Amino acid sequence: MKVLEIRGVKKKLGKKEIIKGIDLSVSEGEIFGFLGPNGAGKTTTIRMLVGLIAPNEGDISICGYNVEKEKEKALKNVGAVVENPELYNYLSGRENLMQIARIRGVSKEEIQNLIEIVGLKDRINDKVKKYSLGMKQRLGLAAALIGDPKLLILDEPTNGLDPSGIMDFREVVKKSAKEKGMAVFISSHILSEVQTLCDRVAFIDKGVIKSVEEIHDNVVKTELESLTLMVSKDKNKALEMLRSLEWIQKAVINEEEIHLIVKTGSTNNILRHLIEKDIEVEEIFKNRKGLEQRYMELVEGGVR
């Protein structure tokens, strides 16, 4: 089941077009990453998802309900931590959660369970004004999980968390997605965390989705991969030949190395052509296959 569907969404702020027509969907039980540089349109997209602003064109649906036309029904299925969690600093952590629990008709037992899940049981009765940023993030996550929402939206959720908190957060999100069938939409600058956590990831830049790709066993499945090649001599000859091959998208010399962006699975063909042209290969290896390399390819324009 598609929990979240974004179709043809565009958004202007003033005269500037921030989102230029994006299409996305997130399924039940899926953890979906949303990556891009500052100013790419991530926060604007998330603000539209939670109904804070409306798109100029296109539709956003949550569990089949249009966010703009059926806001109450759509957002009833959503839990969110957008930017800094909205909390009452003069109340305790428990009192903050109980305010939401009363609105959503959730029992004290469920609230206590969430408190233990996010690791706040020793400080839950303290005033929120005494909380660290990481503790506020934990409390915000607990608040977002009240009532088992169908869609959990998280904007920089590990901000302020120490390594232990990040690991705890990861387990809570994975458990919510896999055991409860919750769809998770997460925007983060920590690429390694997204790679560890997510099933799919979208790369957005300048308001346009550059690519949506799957992650398996912490490796991004891509149509392109990055290689580093070292030849004994005639680097310029090798570069000229490489640029003529159909499998090569980009080839540049960086000091003693040739850096390549190539079609996945084409390494053997490239080596064969080098040998046929009597170019001696000293070394060839694949570079990182993780999000960092893919991010550079899609958002930064290729290898540096």
Side-chain angles (χ1 to χ4, degrees):
M1 172 187 167
K2 302 291 185 188
V3 175
L4 171 65
E5 290 188 90
I6 303 173
R7 297 180 295 272
V9 165
K10 296 182 180 181
K11 180 62 181 176
K12 286 184 177 180
L13 295 177
K15 293 183 178 180
K16 186 175 182 181
E17 192 173 30
I18 305 297
I19 304 298
K20 302 175 182 177
I22 63 173
D23 296 274
L24 290 175
S25 66
V26 184
S27 299
E28 204 171 50
E30 180 180 28
I31 303 175
F32 189 94
F34 197 49
L35 296 177
N38 291 335
K42 301 188 304 297
T43 298
T44 298
T45 300
I46 289 175
R47 288 171 65 82
M48 287 190 288
L49 296 187
V50 297
L52 293 176
I53 57 176
N56 296 113
E57 293 182 35
D59 294 296
I60 299 171
S61 297
I62 297 171
C63 296
Y65 297 108
N66 185 286
V67 172
E68 193 174 0
K69 298 174 183 175
E70 304 168 284
K71 183 180 287 189
E72 187 175 343
K73 289 180 179 179
L75 297 185
K76 185 178 180 182
N77 297 290
V78 175
V81 181
V82 179
E83 298 167 351
N84 295 320
E86 292 293 328
L87 303 167
Y88 296 105
N89 285 322
Y90 60 89
L91 297 179
S92 70
R94 186 185 301 278
E95 288 168 337
N96 267 273
L97 296 180
M98 289 308 300
Q99 292 281 346
I100 303 169
R102 280 190 284 270
I103 295 168
R104 296 203 170 190
V106 172
S107 68
K108 290 182 179 180
E109 289 74 18
E110 181 177 332
I111 296 302
Q112 184 59 39
N113 185 46
L114 287 173
I115 290 166
E116 293 180 10
I117 285 173
V118 300
L120 276 178
K121 63 180 181 179
D122 293 334
R123 298 289 304 277
I124 196 61
N125 293 315
D126 292 354
K127 294 284 193 292
V128 169
K129 64 184 177 183
K130 297 181 180 179
Y131 281 14
S132 66
L133 179 58
M135 291 169 64
K136 288 179 180 178
Q137 289 294 92
R138 288 173 182 259
L139 186 63
L141 179 58
L145 289 169
I146 291 174
D148 288 336
K150 295 293 184 184
L151 175 64
L152 180 63
I153 298 172
L154 303 169
D155 186 15
E156 299 295 340
T158 56
N159 184 28
L161 294 179
D162 58 22
S164 175
I166 290 173
M167 288 188 286
D168 290 344
F169 159 81
R170 187 191 304 154
E171 291 308 308
V172 170
V173 172
K174 283 186 174 180
K175 186 175 181 180
S176 298
K178 304 312 173 190
E179 294 184 9
K180 299 181 180 181
M182 188 181 297
V184 181
F185 186 93
I186 176 170
S187 172
S188 176
H189 283 96
I190 305 176
L191 300 187
S192 59
E193 191 58 34
V194 172
Q195 183 170 325
T196 302
L197 189 60
C198 294
D199 304 303
R200 284 193 303 146
V201 61
F203 298 86
I204 185 171
D205 190 27
K206 298 180 177 70
V208 175
I209 300 295
K210 297 291 187 178
S211 183
V212 178
E213 297 174 2
E214 295 182 6
I215 299 176
H216 291 291
D217 298 323
N218 284 350
V219 174
V220 184
K221 290 185 67 179
T222 65
E223 296 179 359
L224 300 172
E225 60 188 3
S226 175
L227 305 179
T228 296
L229 171 69
M230 297 183 70
V231 296
S232 58
K233 57 184 178 179
D234 294 329
K235 287 195 295 292
N236 290 320
K237 178 185 175 183
L239 185 67
E240 184 179 352
M241 188 277 294
L242 288 164
R243 286 176 171 171
S244 70
L245 297 179
E246 60 179 308
W247 308 287
I248 309 286
Q249 185 181 85
K250 186 168 185 176
V252 296
I253 292 177
N254 185 1
E255 297 181 351
E256 298 302 312
E257 301 173 341
I258 299 176
H259 292 269
L260 305 171
I261 302 295
V262 307
K263 289 184 179 179
T264 299
S266 63
T267 305
N268 288 340
N269 289 326
I270 292 167
L271 278 172
R272 178 166 52 81
H273 277 75
L274 287 166
I275 293 167
E276 287 175 356
K277 296 294 183 179
D278 293 324
I279 296 171
E280 296 181 14
V281 177
E282 289 186 344
E283 189 175 5
I284 186 168
F285 56 89
K286 295 181 181 180
N287 296 317
R288 299 178 300 272
K289 296 178 72 176
L291 279 184
E292 182 178 341
Q293 182 63 33
R294 192 59 177 140
Y295 182 92
M296 292 300 299
E297 292 167 4
L298 289 166
V299 174
E300 298 290 343
V303 293
R304 287 181 171 176

